[in-house]
Amino acid sequence: TQKVDPETHINMFEGFKIKPKQDDNKAALVLRLLESLCSSEPNGAEVFVWVLKWLAYPLQHPGAKMQTALLFFGAKQGTGKSLFFEGIVKPIYGSHGATGGQDQLDANYSAWRSQKLYVLFEEILSRQDKYSSFGLVKHLITGRDTPITQQFKDDRFDANPLNVVMLS
């Protein structure tokens, strides 16, 4: 995140490519969608504010590691979860954002995690295999570093600034 000594570290974070542009009408639509996603909770207004702050903090402080993850569960399809987290939030992160699923969790190689600040998992942890992936998901959420495994290369450990959102 451009906060290390270039004499002793290789810094691959180049900042966010997308630049803020004020558009109150579009912002209002985005906020209404998030508010709708939070509204099924009894304290929906509080959840909305908490989620908004959770999303904003890592953007205001690149490299900040949240010690929690967001889990959005919907009883019905088409509520806008993917639209919001994949279509609106992930593009802000550019190459530092990723979308994954059970295949990424089960993969032998973990290079997809390198240089990522945000990951959206869709439909992971099915009833049959939830316990086999539970430890890895917990480590992605709270771990300070993450192993990076690539084919024909030595394993290495990277810092883990990855913030996780899960949809189901």
Side-chain angles (χ1 to χ4, degrees), residues 90-120:
K90 184 183 158 204
I92 296 170
Y93 284 91
S95 64
H96 300 291
T99 301
Q102 196 65 46
D103 289 344
Q104 282 69 34
L105 291 176
D106 294 340
N108 291 329
Y109 304 110
S110 59
W112 66 268
R113 295 182 218 162
S114 183
Q115 304 177 47
K116 298 300 184 248
L117 299 175
Y118 171 88
V119 65
L120 171 66

Side-chain angles (χ1 to χ4, degrees), residues 39-105:
S39 66
S40 64
E41 294 297 317
N43 58 340
E46 292 173 27
V47 171
F48 167 75
V49 170
W50 191 90
V51 170
L52 194 58
K53 289 178 180 179
W54 189 98
L55 291 167
Y57 191 84
L59 293 169
Q60 295 165 341
H61 304 91
K65 177 75 174 150
M66 307 305 280
Q67 292 296 304
T68 57
L70 297 181
L71 171 61
F72 275 74
F73 174 84
K76 56 184 176 177
Q77 298 291 101
T79 58
K81 297 182 302 288
S82 292
L83 171 63
F84 183 81
F85 291 104
E86 171 90 19
I88 296 169
V89 177
K90 184 183 158 204
I92 296 170
Y93 284 91
S95 64
H96 300 291
T99 301
Q102 196 65 46
D103 289 344
Q104 282 69 34
L105 291 176

Side-chain angles (χ1 to χ4, degrees), residues 121-134:
F121 286 116
E122 298 218 36
E123 305 299 334
I124 62 166
L125 303 179
S126 64
R127 221 175 268 260
Q128 305 89 290
D129 52 18
K130 72 178 181 180
Y131 294 109
S132 66
S133 299
F134 185 74

Side-chain angles (χ1 to χ4, degrees), residues 3-78:
K3 296 177 184 163
V4 295
D5 182 357
E7 296 294 321
T8 59
H9 291 76
I10 298 172
N11 191 341
M12 297 186 290
F13 180 69
E14 299 172 349
F16 299 120
K17 301 294 183 207
I18 195 168
K19 298 300 175 206
K21 181 175 142 187
Q22 186 168 343
D23 187 330
D24 293 342
N25 292 328
K26 287 181 183 174
L29 292 172
V30 168
L31 292 174
R32 276 205 328 246
L33 176 56
L34 179 59
E35 192 173 33
S36 170
L37 293 173
C38 298
S39 66
S40 64
E41 294 297 317
N43 58 340
E46 292 173 27
V47 171
F48 167 75
V49 170
W50 191 90
V51 170
L52 194 58
K53 289 178 180 179
W54 189 98
L55 291 167
Y57 191 84
L59 293 169
Q60 295 165 341
H61 304 91
K65 177 75 174 150
M66 307 305 280
Q67 292 296 304
T68 57
L70 297 181
L71 171 61
F72 275 74
F73 174 84
K76 56 184 176 177
Q77 298 291 101

